[in-house]
Amino acid sequence: MFNRNRGLRRVAAIVSISSLVTGCGILSSDGSEDEGPIVVGTTSAPSTLDPAASWDGSWELFRNIYQTLLSYPSGSTAPQPDAAEECAFTDSTNQVYRCELREGLTFSNGDRLDARAVKHSIDRIKDINVNGGPAGLLGSLERVQAPSEREVVFHLNQPDATFPFVLATPAMSIVEPGSYPANELREDGQVVGSGPYSLESYEDGERAELVRNDRYEGFADRENKAVTIRYFKDSAGMVKALRDGDIQVTYRGLAADDVVTLQGKAGKDEELQLVEGSGTEISYLVFNPEDPWAGRKEVRRAVAQVIDRAAIAHTIHQDTVDPLYSMVPKGLTGHTTGFFDDYGDPSVPKAREILTDAGITERVPLTLWYTTDRYGSETAKEFKEIKRQLDASGLFQVTLKSRPWKTYVTGYQKGEYPVFGRGWSPDFPDAENFIAPFVGEQNALGTPYAAPEITGELLPRSRRESDRANVERDFERAQQIMLDDARLLPLWQGKQYVAANADISGAEQAMDPSTIMMMWRLSRKTSW
């Protein structure tokens, strides 16, 4: 376990991730391995260990224990080869994508990782077809071929310049065919992967113990020997563990109160550092079109007219998030401010007019659902504030309900919730990933959303364009359609905060473009 009494002078820093990625050489580290694993805390526990079942925060574990053909080396925003030696489109229309694997790849159990294993891994995602699962990412995939041991060829049913980004998501993790059935999920709590780490032990909702996988062949340059991930129910318990020295890093789920406290105390009386960076994580409400009230557009538009995002960001999150008026966050091509442009500042009279014009004169009963253990300790406070705002308008009568994440997911996939909260961290850094996952008959929400202009015209056209700066108009039009439907209501855009003991190095470099922590970047500082 980490020794806090190593004679280090008391230091801390509040730093920008972007400013340190290329300039953190003031400290040296040799990846010291004699003090046990680096222990990392998070409030985001996996819902599954099988990549074919997950389109959620389980990816944070997958990135470290499984391998994908492509991934993101530190500082890269474009996919680069990992299990693959090279990948490229082989035609001028972006419909045939070929990868050649590294030579001599094996899984952690010693079995060969070849093209057949890659084909098996991708095919089973589509064959098992979990509702709300990652099969929704493979809409453009027609078939996979494995013409030789090291060659994999993907044939697409339409041009798709974003397909390399899809292959780089942890959903496309390569699994060992003998351990993962072709037509059903693996549910024994075991893992066979080929990533930087092997999963030595796992306690659901409690901890994951990762040890260096000596069979790994890829780009990851591991700075430590082992990492233990501990899963916490809330930020308070996680920060207490950090201060007590039971964990050395936190990487998701810091509450606003704790961030503000750390900003004030870091460097004064604690050996802690707080790393701050811009983020593209968003929070939003989902309306179920099958519900008699939430299914009415006028009700959804009235809710959009009443919700005060600025109050939520300031009062509940203490300005650790920013109000969001578009499903595509700031910083990405295609971001708009449509919900502000159409609704302006919150207005009860305007909301009442929307409802009365639709013949709705009674208070609208709505049940809002949220998860208790996924998006941070502010979630319950946030939904109480949303209830307060809607009830205070006199136009709505809101009931709040909640569940832990595992049962919460099952509920929204079955269509049980009239209105529910979701968060979204991008699969890849492109505006498409804040539009495509939410529309179509199969999507990440498990709630069909027929949007033929988006799915049949705008997305296919944008995918033909390799230069993503040229698709801004298509994304703006797609967002206008979503704005008019008001099926999804953006609330806020998050920032990234990582708190760590002052002896930890690499936290500012550890986030990939999807804000997933690459645990191999963490190390202990050995000199000043």
Side-chain angles (χ1 to χ4, degrees):
M1 184 56 65
F2 176 63
N3 177 11
R4 292 178 58 87
N5 301 310
R6 297 174 57 193
L8 289 173
R9 58 189 177 93
R10 294 184 178 272
V11 297
I14 300 174
V15 294
S16 165
I17 289 175
S18 59
S19 68
L20 284 183
V21 166
T22 58
C24 59
I26 59 171
L27 303 171
S28 64
S29 171
D30 63 0
S32 180
E33 301 171 1
D34 59 353
E35 297 179 333
I38 292 176
V39 186
V40 181
T42 177
T43 61
S44 182
S47 61
T48 177
L49 296 181
D50 190 330
S54 171
W55 200 349
D56 63 20
S58 304
W59 289 10
E60 293 166 344
L61 178 60
F62 294 174
R63 175 64 79 203
N64 292 278
I65 60 176
Y66 293 105
Q67 195 172 17
T68 46
L69 290 171
L70 302 166
S71 192
Y72 298 96
S74 183
S76 173
T77 57
Q80 304 295 324
D82 188 8
E85 189 172 88
E86 58 181 8
C87 291
F89 282 105
T90 61
D91 65 333
S92 59
T93 62
N94 293 338
Q95 286 188 260
V96 180
Y97 195 72
R98 176 186 178 276
C99 290
E100 184 172 341
L101 296 176
R102 293 175 186 261
E103 190 171 1
L105 292 176
T106 60
F107 290 100
S108 56
N109 65 356
D111 288 355
R112 179 183 299 177
L113 194 167
D114 55 14
R116 181 182 63 90
V118 176
K119 174 176 167 55
H120 172 84
S121 301
I122 305 300
D123 283 346
R124 70 188 294 268
I125 293 173
K126 298 190 73 172
D127 292 342
I128 296 173
N129 196 21
V130 172
N131 185 30
L137 286 165
L138 295 172
S140 64
L141 179 62
E142 182 176 300
R143 69 184 190 278
V144 186
Q145 288 182 310
S148 67
E149 285 191 357
R150 293 177 56 200
E151 184 181 11
V152 187
V153 181
F154 300 91
H155 296 270
L156 310 184
N157 54 35
Q158 58 185 311
D160 188 356
T162 69
F163 189 71
F165 290 92
V166 172
L167 289 180
T169 67
M172 304 301 137
S173 296
I174 304 168
V175 298
E176 195 270 308
S179 304
Y180 293 80
N183 298 306
E184 61 183 12
L185 297 175
R186 180 175 184 175
E187 297 179 342
D188 62 358
Q190 302 298 309
V191 165
V192 178
S194 61
Y197 298 95
S198 297
L199 186 62
E200 185 172 60
S201 67
Y202 180 74
E203 297 176 53
D204 188 21
E206 297 294 331
R207 68 176 59 226
E209 295 185 1
L210 282 55
V211 297
R212 184 180 296 189
N213 175 15
D214 292 332
R215 299 181 186 274
Y216 169 73
E217 294 290 341
F219 71 79
D221 185 10
R222 291 159 295 187
E223 300 290 338
N224 58 68
K225 182 179 181 181
V227 172
T228 294
I229 304 172
R230 285 186 53 189
Y231 301 110
F232 291 85
K233 299 299 182 184
D234 55 40
S235 176
M238 183 168 65
V239 172
K240 182 180 185 302
L242 178 67
R243 289 187 166 125
D244 290 346
D246 295 331
I247 65 175
Q248 285 82 60
V249 185
T250 72
Y251 81 102
R252 195 173 295 278
L254 281 175
D257 286 343
D258 291 319
V259 170
V260 172
T261 300
L262 288 168
Q263 286 173 332
K265 288 188 175 181
K268 295 179 180 178
D269 57 1
E270 294 183 297
E271 290 180 348
L272 300 176
Q273 55 181 317
L274 184 67
V275 179
E276 177 183 337
S278 59
T280 51
E281 176 187 5
I282 68 170
S283 177
Y284 58 98
L285 295 179
V286 183
F287 293 86
N288 187 342
E290 300 301 319
D291 181 78
W293 286 108
R296 300 188 65 173
K297 183 187 296 187
E298 297 82 8
V299 170
R300 302 193 297 263
R301 292 181 61 230
V303 172
Q305 185 64 74
V306 170
I307 293 290
D308 189 340
R309 295 167 180 79
I312 292 171
H314 179 68
T315 304
I316 304 301
H317 295 277
Q318 301 183 61
D319 299 316
T320 60
V321 304
D322 294 321
L324 183 63
Y325 300 94
S326 160
M327 286 301 290
V328 176
K330 292 179 291 184
L332 294 181
T333 297
H335 169 72
T336 69
T337 55
F339 277 89
F340 185 83
D341 298 339
D342 279 26
Y343 297 104
D345 291 324
S347 170
V348 172
K350 289 181 180 179
R352 180 177 290 110
E353 182 179 357
I354 292 171
L355 293 174
T356 55
D357 285 351
I360 302 172
T361 56
E362 70 269 38
R363 292 182 70 162
V364 176
L366 286 177
T367 301
L368 274 60
W369 282 82
Y370 65 92
T371 181
T372 57
D373 57 354
R374 168 61 52 164
Y375 301 122
S377 304
E378 271 76 34
T379 304
K381 297 177 185 177
E382 178 179 314
F383 272 76
K384 288 178 182 177
E385 171 63 13
I386 292 173
K387 170 180 166 60
R388 187 199 66 77
Q389 292 179 10
L390 293 176
D391 286 349
S393 72
L395 304 175
F396 302 94
Q397 187 169 0
V398 174
T399 301
L400 292 182
K401 292 188 177 182
S402 62
R403 284 177 176 170
W405 177 250
K406 279 199 169 184
T407 53
Y408 185 74
V409 172
T410 302
Y412 73 66
Q413 289 176 344
K414 291 180 177 179
E416 294 178 0
Y417 310 149
V419 187
F420 61 96
R422 272 294 307 261
W424 187 255
S425 295
D427 305 328
F428 50 86
D430 190 280
E432 155 150 335
N433 197 237
F434 291 89
I435 297 172
F438 310 126
V439 296
E441 288 302 310
Q442 184 178 45
N443 58 54
L445 303 173
T447 304
Y449 182 0
E453 184 179 349
I454 297 177
T455 58
E457 298 178 31
L458 300 175
L459 290 176
R461 184 165 64 228
S462 73
R463 288 166 178 163
R464 298 188 190 102
E465 181 57 64
S466 297
D467 186 347
R468 306 307 287 163
N470 294 334
V471 297
E472 185 170 5
R473 286 190 176 182
D474 286 335
F475 291 144
E476 290 175 350
R477 172 58 187 157
Q479 288 182 87
Q480 185 61 48
I481 293 170
M482 298 170 79
L483 171 64
D484 294 341
D485 292 340
R487 286 271 304 272
L488 306 173
L489 184 63
L491 296 173
W492 51 259
Q493 175 176 349
K495 303 173 185 177
Q496 290 300 317
Y497 295 97
V498 176
N501 189 281
D503 272 10
I504 295 296
S505 180
E508 68 278 359
Q509 296 175 301
M511 293 295 183
D512 79 0
S514 300
T515 66
I516 293 174
M517 181 169 278
M518 302 176 288
M519 300 294 179
W520 59 87
R521 298 295 304 175
L522 301 174
S523 63
R524 290 188 173 91
K525 299 171 185 174
T526 57
S527 63
W528 292 82

Coordinates of all heavy atoms in Angstrom, one line a residue, residues 75-139:
G75 N -2.7 11.7 -26.3 CA -2.6 13.0 -27.0 C -3.2 12.9 -28.4 O -3.4 13.9 -29.1
S76 N -3.7 11.7 -28.8 CA -4.2 11.5 -30.2 C -5.7 11.7 -30.1 O -6.4 11.2 -29.2 CB -3.9 10.1 -30.7 OG -4.5 9.9 -31.9
T77 N -6.3 12.3 -31.1 CA -7.8 12.4 -31.3 C -8.2 11.6 -32.5 O -9.4 11.6 -32.8 CB -8.2 13.9 -31.4 OG1 -7.5 14.5 -32.6 CG2 -7.9 14.7 -30.2
A78 N -7.3 11.0 -33.2 CA -7.7 10.1 -34.3 C -7.3 8.7 -34.0 O -6.2 8.5 -33.4 CB -7.0 10.6 -35.6
P79 N -8.1 7.7 -34.3 CA -7.7 6.3 -34.0 C -6.4 5.9 -34.7 O -6.1 6.2 -35.8 CB -8.9 5.5 -34.6 CG -10.0 6.5 -34.8 CD -9.3 7.8 -35.1
Q80 N -5.6 5.1 -33.9 CA -4.3 4.6 -34.3 C -4.3 3.1 -34.1 O -5.0 2.6 -33.2 CB -3.2 5.3 -33.6 CG -3.2 6.8 -33.6 CD -2.9 7.3 -35.0 OE1 -2.2 6.7 -35.8 NE2 -3.6 8.4 -35.4
P81 N -3.5 2.4 -34.8 CA -3.4 0.9 -34.7 C -3.1 0.5 -33.2 O -2.2 1.1 -32.6 CB -2.4 0.5 -35.7 CG -2.4 1.5 -36.7 CD -2.6 2.8 -35.9
D82 N -3.7 -0.6 -32.8 CA -3.4 -1.2 -31.5 C -3.2 -2.7 -31.7 O -2.1 -3.1 -31.9 CB -4.4 -0.9 -30.4 CG -4.0 -1.4 -29.0 OD1 -2.8 -1.7 -28.9 OD2 -4.8 -1.4 -28.1
A83 N -4.3 -3.5 -31.7 CA -4.1 -4.9 -32.1 C -3.7 -5.0 -33.6 O -3.1 -5.9 -34.0 CB -5.4 -5.7 -31.8
A84 N -4.2 -4.0 -34.3 CA -3.8 -4.0 -35.7 C -2.4 -3.4 -35.9 O -2.0 -2.5 -35.1 CB -4.8 -3.1 -36.5
E85 N -1.8 -3.8 -37.0 CA -0.5 -3.2 -37.4 C -0.8 -2.0 -38.3 O -0.1 -1.0 -38.3 CB 0.4 -4.2 -38.1 CG 1.8 -3.8 -38.4 CD 2.6 -4.9 -38.9 OE1 2.7 -5.1 -40.1 OE2 3.3 -5.6 -38.1
E86 N -1.8 -2.1 -39.1 CA -2.2 -1.1 -40.0 C -3.7 -1.3 -40.4 O -4.2 -2.4 -40.5 CB -1.4 -1.0 -41.3 CG -1.3 -2.2 -42.1 CD -0.4 -2.1 -43.3 OE1 0.3 -1.1 -43.4 OE2 -0.5 -3.0 -44.2
C87 N -4.4 -0.2 -40.7 CA -5.8 -0.3 -41.1 C -6.0 0.9 -42.1 O -5.4 2.0 -42.0 CB -6.8 -0.1 -40.0 SG -6.9 -1.4 -38.8
A88 N -6.9 0.7 -43.1 CA -7.2 1.7 -44.1 C -8.4 1.3 -44.9 O -8.7 0.1 -45.1 CB -6.0 2.0 -45.0
F89 N -9.1 2.3 -45.4 CA -10.1 2.0 -46.5 C -9.3 1.7 -47.8 O -8.3 2.2 -48.1 CB -10.9 3.3 -46.7 CG -12.0 3.5 -45.7 CD1 -11.9 4.5 -44.8 CD2 -13.1 2.7 -45.7 CE1 -12.9 4.7 -43.8 CE2 -14.1 2.9 -44.7 CZ -14.0 3.9 -43.8
T90 N -9.9 0.7 -48.5 CA -9.2 0.2 -49.7 C -9.9 0.7 -50.9 O -9.5 0.3 -52.0 CB -9.1 -1.3 -49.7 OG1 -10.4 -1.9 -49.7 CG2 -8.3 -1.8 -48.5
D91 N -11.0 1.4 -50.8 CA -11.7 1.9 -51.9 C -11.9 3.4 -51.8 O -11.6 4.0 -50.8 CB -13.1 1.2 -52.1 CG -14.0 1.5 -50.9 OD1 -13.4 1.8 -49.8 OD2 -15.2 1.5 -51.1
S92 N -12.4 4.0 -52.9 CA -12.6 5.5 -52.9 C -13.9 5.9 -52.3 O -14.2 7.1 -52.1 CB -12.5 6.0 -54.3 OG -13.5 5.5 -55.1
T93 N -14.8 5.0 -51.9 CA -16.1 5.3 -51.4 C -16.3 5.1 -49.9 O -17.4 5.2 -49.4 CB -17.2 4.5 -52.2 OG1 -17.0 3.1 -51.9 CG2 -17.1 4.8 -53.7
N94 N -15.2 4.7 -49.2 CA -15.3 4.4 -47.8 C -16.3 3.3 -47.4 O -17.0 3.4 -46.5 CB -15.7 5.7 -47.0 CG -14.6 6.8 -47.1 OD1 -13.4 6.5 -47.3 ND2 -15.0 8.0 -46.9
Q95 N -16.2 2.2 -48.2 CA -17.1 1.1 -47.9 C -16.4 -0.2 -47.7 O -17.0 -1.2 -47.3 CB -18.1 0.9 -49.1 CG -19.2 2.0 -49.1 CD -20.2 1.7 -50.2 OE1 -20.2 2.2 -51.3 NE2 -21.1 0.8 -49.8
V96 N -15.1 -0.3 -47.9 CA -14.3 -1.5 -47.6 C -13.1 -1.1 -46.8 O -12.2 -0.3 -47.2 CB -13.8 -2.2 -48.9 CG1 -13.0 -3.4 -48.5 CG2 -15.0 -2.5 -49.8
Y97 N -13.1 -1.6 -45.5 CA -12.0 -1.2 -44.6 C -11.2 -2.5 -44.2 O -11.8 -3.5 -43.8 CB -12.7 -0.6 -43.3 CG -11.7 0.1 -42.5 CD1 -11.2 1.4 -42.8 CD2 -11.3 -0.4 -41.2 CE1 -10.3 2.0 -42.0 CE2 -10.4 0.3 -40.4 CZ -9.9 1.5 -40.8 OH -9.0 2.2 -40.0
R98 N -9.9 -2.4 -44.4 CA -9.1 -3.6 -44.2 C -8.1 -3.3 -43.0 O -7.5 -2.2 -42.9 CB -8.3 -3.9 -45.4 CG -7.3 -5.1 -45.3 CD -6.5 -5.2 -46.6 NE -5.5 -6.3 -46.4 CZ -4.3 -6.1 -45.9 NH1 -3.9 -4.9 -45.4 NH2 -3.5 -7.1 -45.8
C99 N -7.9 -4.3 -42.2 CA -6.9 -4.2 -41.1 C -6.0 -5.5 -41.2 O -6.5 -6.6 -41.4 CB -7.6 -4.2 -39.7 SG -8.4 -2.7 -39.3
E100 N -4.7 -5.2 -40.9 CA -3.8 -6.3 -40.8 C -3.3 -6.4 -39.3 O -2.8 -5.3 -38.8 CB -2.6 -6.2 -41.7 CG -1.6 -7.3 -41.7 CD -0.5 -7.2 -42.7 OE1 -0.7 -6.5 -43.7 OE2 0.5 -7.9 -42.6
L101 N -3.4 -7.5 -38.7 CA -3.1 -7.6 -37.3 C -1.6 -7.6 -37.1 O -0.8 -8.0 -37.9 CB -3.7 -8.9 -36.7 CG -5.2 -9.0 -36.7 CD1 -5.6 -10.4 -36.2 CD2 -5.8 -8.0 -35.9
R102 N -1.2 -7.3 -35.9 CA 0.2 -7.5 -35.4 C 0.5 -9.0 -35.5 O -0.4 -9.8 -35.2 CB 0.4 -6.9 -34.0 CG 0.3 -5.4 -33.9 CD 0.4 -5.1 -32.4 NE 0.2 -3.6 -32.2 CZ 1.2 -2.7 -32.0 NH1 2.4 -3.1 -32.1 NH2 0.9 -1.5 -31.8
E103 N 1.7 -9.3 -35.7 CA 2.1 -10.7 -35.7 C 2.3 -11.2 -34.3 O 2.8 -10.6 -33.4 CB 3.4 -10.8 -36.5 CG 3.8 -12.2 -36.8 CD 5.0 -12.3 -37.8 OE1 5.5 -11.2 -38.2 OE2 5.3 -13.4 -38.1
G104 N 1.8 -12.4 -34.1 CA 2.0 -13.1 -32.8 C 1.2 -12.7 -31.7 O 1.6 -13.0 -30.5
L105 N 0.0 -12.1 -31.9 CA -0.9 -11.7 -30.8 C -1.5 -12.9 -30.1 O -1.8 -13.9 -30.8 CB -2.0 -10.8 -31.3 CG -1.6 -9.5 -31.9 CD1 -2.8 -8.8 -32.4 CD2 -1.0 -8.6 -30.8
T106 N -1.6 -12.8 -28.8 CA -2.3 -13.9 -28.0 C -3.2 -13.3 -27.0 O -3.0 -12.1 -26.6 CB -1.3 -14.8 -27.3 OG1 -0.5 -14.0 -26.4 CG2 -0.4 -15.5 -28.3
F107 N -4.1 -14.0 -26.5 CA -5.0 -13.6 -25.4 C -4.2 -13.9 -24.1 O -3.2 -14.6 -24.1 CB -6.3 -14.3 -25.4 CG -7.2 -13.9 -26.6 CD1 -7.3 -14.7 -27.7 CD2 -8.0 -12.7 -26.5 CE1 -8.1 -14.3 -28.8 CE2 -8.8 -12.3 -27.5 CZ -8.9 -13.1 -28.6
S108 N -4.8 -13.4 -23.0 CA -4.2 -13.5 -21.7 C -4.1 -15.0 -21.3 O -3.2 -15.4 -20.4 CB -4.9 -12.7 -20.7 OG -6.3 -13.1 -20.6
N109 N -4.9 -15.9 -21.9 CA -4.8 -17.3 -21.5 C -3.9 -18.1 -22.5 O -3.8 -19.3 -22.4 CB -6.2 -17.9 -21.6 CG -6.8 -17.9 -23.0 OD1 -6.2 -17.4 -23.9 ND2 -8.0 -18.5 -23.1
G110 N -3.2 -17.4 -23.4 CA -2.2 -18.0 -24.2 C -2.8 -18.4 -25.6 O -2.0 -18.7 -26.5
D111 N -4.1 -18.3 -25.8 CA -4.7 -18.7 -27.1 C -4.4 -17.6 -28.1 O -4.2 -16.4 -27.8 CB -6.2 -18.9 -27.0 CG -6.6 -20.2 -26.2 OD1 -5.7 -20.9 -25.9 OD2 -7.8 -20.4 -26.0
R112 N -4.3 -18.0 -29.4 CA -4.0 -17.1 -30.4 C -5.1 -16.1 -30.7 O -6.3 -16.4 -30.8 CB -3.7 -17.9 -31.7 CG -3.3 -17.0 -32.9 CD -3.1 -17.9 -34.2 NE -2.0 -18.8 -34.0 CZ -1.7 -19.7 -34.9 NH1 -2.4 -19.8 -36.0 NH2 -0.7 -20.5 -34.7
L113 N -4.7 -14.8 -30.9 CA -5.6 -13.8 -31.3 C -5.3 -13.6 -32.8 O -4.3 -13.0 -33.2 CB -5.3 -12.5 -30.6 CG -6.4 -11.4 -30.7 CD1 -6.2 -10.3 -29.6 CD2 -6.4 -10.7 -32.0
D114 N -6.3 -14.0 -33.6 CA -6.1 -13.9 -35.1 C -7.4 -13.3 -35.7 O -8.3 -12.8 -35.0 CB -5.8 -15.3 -35.7 CG -6.9 -16.3 -35.3 OD1 -8.0 -15.9 -34.8 OD2 -6.7 -17.5 -35.5
A115 N -7.4 -13.2 -37.0 CA -8.5 -12.6 -37.7 C -9.8 -13.3 -37.4 O -10.9 -12.6 -37.3 CB -8.2 -12.6 -39.2
R116 N -9.8 -14.6 -37.2 CA -11.0 -15.3 -36.9 C -11.6 -14.8 -35.5 O -12.8 -14.7 -35.4 CB -10.7 -16.8 -36.8 CG -11.9 -17.7 -36.4 CD -11.4 -19.2 -36.3 NE -10.5 -19.3 -35.2 CZ -10.9 -19.6 -34.0 NH1 -12.2 -19.8 -33.7 NH2 -10.0 -19.8 -33.0
A117 N -10.7 -14.5 -34.6 CA -11.2 -14.0 -33.3 C -11.8 -12.6 -33.4 O -12.8 -12.3 -32.8 CB -10.0 -14.0 -32.3
V118 N -11.2 -11.8 -34.3 CA -11.8 -10.5 -34.5 C -13.2 -10.6 -35.1 O -14.1 -10.0 -34.7 CB -10.9 -9.6 -35.4 CG1 -11.5 -8.3 -35.7 CG2 -9.5 -9.4 -34.7
K119 N -13.3 -11.4 -36.2 CA -14.6 -11.6 -36.8 C -15.6 -12.2 -35.8 O -16.7 -11.7 -35.8 CB -14.4 -12.6 -38.0 CG -15.7 -13.0 -38.7 CD -15.5 -13.9 -39.9 CE -16.8 -14.6 -40.3 NZ -17.9 -13.6 -40.6
H120 N -15.2 -13.1 -35.0 CA -16.1 -13.7 -34.0 C -16.6 -12.6 -33.1 O -17.8 -12.5 -32.7 CB -15.4 -14.8 -33.2 CG -16.2 -15.3 -32.0 ND1 -17.1 -16.3 -32.1 CD2 -16.1 -14.9 -30.7 CE1 -17.6 -16.5 -30.9 NE2 -17.0 -15.7 -30.0
S121 N -15.7 -11.7 -32.6 CA -16.0 -10.7 -31.7 C -17.0 -9.7 -32.2 O -18.0 -9.3 -31.5 CB -14.8 -9.9 -31.2 OG -13.8 -10.8 -30.6
I122 N -16.8 -9.3 -33.5 CA -17.7 -8.3 -34.1 C -19.1 -9.0 -34.5 O -20.2 -8.4 -34.2 CB -17.1 -7.7 -35.3 CG1 -15.7 -7.1 -35.0 CG2 -18.0 -6.6 -36.0 CD1 -15.8 -6.0 -34.0
D123 N -19.0 -10.2 -35.0 CA -20.2 -10.8 -35.4 C -21.2 -11.1 -34.3 O -22.4 -10.9 -34.4 CB -19.9 -12.2 -36.1 CG -19.4 -12.0 -37.5 OD1 -19.6 -10.9 -38.1 OD2 -18.9 -13.0 -38.1
R124 N -20.6 -11.5 -33.1 CA -21.5 -11.8 -32.0 C -22.2 -10.6 -31.4 O -23.3 -10.7 -30.9 CB -20.7 -12.5 -30.9 CG -19.7 -11.7 -30.1 CD -18.9 -12.6 -29.2 NE -19.6 -13.2 -28.1 CZ -19.8 -12.6 -26.9 NH1 -19.3 -11.4 -26.6 NH2 -20.5 -13.3 -26.0
I125 N -21.6 -9.4 -31.6 CA -22.3 -8.2 -31.2 C -23.6 -8.0 -32.0 O -24.7 -7.8 -31.4 CB -21.4 -6.9 -31.4 CG1 -20.2 -7.0 -30.5 CG2 -22.2 -5.7 -31.2 CD1 -19.2 -5.9 -30.8
K126 N -23.6 -8.3 -33.3 CA -24.8 -8.2 -34.1 C -25.7 -9.3 -33.9 O -26.9 -9.2 -33.9 CB -24.4 -8.1 -35.6 CG -23.5 -6.8 -35.9 CD -23.4 -6.6 -37.4 CE -24.7 -6.1 -38.0 NZ -24.5 -5.7 -39.4
D127 N -25.2 -10.5 -33.7 CA -26.0 -11.7 -33.5 C -26.7 -11.7 -32.2 O -27.9 -12.1 -32.1 CB -25.1 -13.0 -33.6 CG -24.6 -13.2 -35.1 OD1 -25.2 -12.6 -36.0 OD2 -23.6 -14.0 -35.2
I128 N -26.1 -11.4 -31.1 CA -26.7 -11.3 -29.8 C -27.7 -10.1 -29.8 O -28.8 -10.3 -29.2 CB -25.7 -11.2 -28.7 CG1 -24.8 -12.5 -28.7 CG2 -26.4 -11.1 -27.3 CD1 -23.6 -12.4 -27.7
N129 N -27.3 -9.0 -30.3 CA -28.2 -7.9 -30.5 C -28.9 -7.4 -29.2 O -30.1 -7.4 -29.2 CB -29.2 -8.2 -31.6 CG -29.9 -7.0 -32.1 OD1 -29.4 -5.9 -32.0 ND2 -31.1 -7.2 -32.7
V130 N -28.2 -7.1 -28.2 CA -28.7 -6.7 -26.9 C -29.5 -5.4 -27.1 O -29.0 -4.4 -27.8 CB -27.6 -6.5 -25.9 CG1 -28.2 -5.8 -24.6 CG2 -27.0 -7.8 -25.5
N131 N -30.7 -5.3 -26.6 CA -31.4 -4.0 -26.7 C -30.7 -2.9 -26.0 O -30.4 -3.0 -24.9 CB -32.8 -4.2 -26.1 CG -33.7 -3.0 -26.3 OD1 -33.6 -2.3 -27.3 ND2 -34.6 -2.8 -25.4
G132 N -30.5 -1.8 -26.8 CA -29.7 -0.7 -26.2 C -28.2 -1.0 -26.1 O -27.5 -0.2 -25.5
G133 N -27.8 -2.1 -26.8 CA -26.4 -2.5 -26.7 C -25.6 -2.0 -27.9 O -26.1 -1.2 -28.8
P134 N -24.3 -2.4 -28.1 CA -23.4 -1.8 -29.1 C -23.7 -2.2 -30.5 O -23.1 -1.6 -31.4 CB -22.1 -2.3 -28.6 CG -22.3 -3.6 -27.9 CD -23.6 -3.4 -27.2
A135 N -24.7 -3.1 -30.7 CA -25.0 -3.4 -32.1 C -25.5 -2.1 -32.9 O -25.3 -2.0 -34.1 CB -26.1 -4.5 -32.2
G136 N -26.0 -1.2 -32.1 CA -26.4 0.1 -32.7 C -25.3 0.9 -33.4 O -25.5 1.7 -34.2
L137 N -24.1 0.6 -33.0 CA -22.9 1.2 -33.6 C -22.6 0.6 -34.9 O -21.8 1.2 -35.7 CB -21.7 1.1 -32.6 CG -21.7 2.0 -31.4 CD1 -20.6 1.5 -30.4 CD2 -21.4 3.4 -31.8
L138 N -23.1 -0.5 -35.2 CA -22.7 -1.3 -36.4 C -23.7 -1.2 -37.5 O -23.8 -2.1 -38.4 CB -22.4 -2.7 -36.0 CG -21.2 -2.9 -35.1 CD1 -21.1 -4.3 -34.6 CD2 -19.9 -2.4 -35.8
G139 N -24.5 -0.2 -37.6 CA -25.5 -0.1 -38.6 C -25.0 -0.1 -40.0 O -25.7 -0.5 -40.9

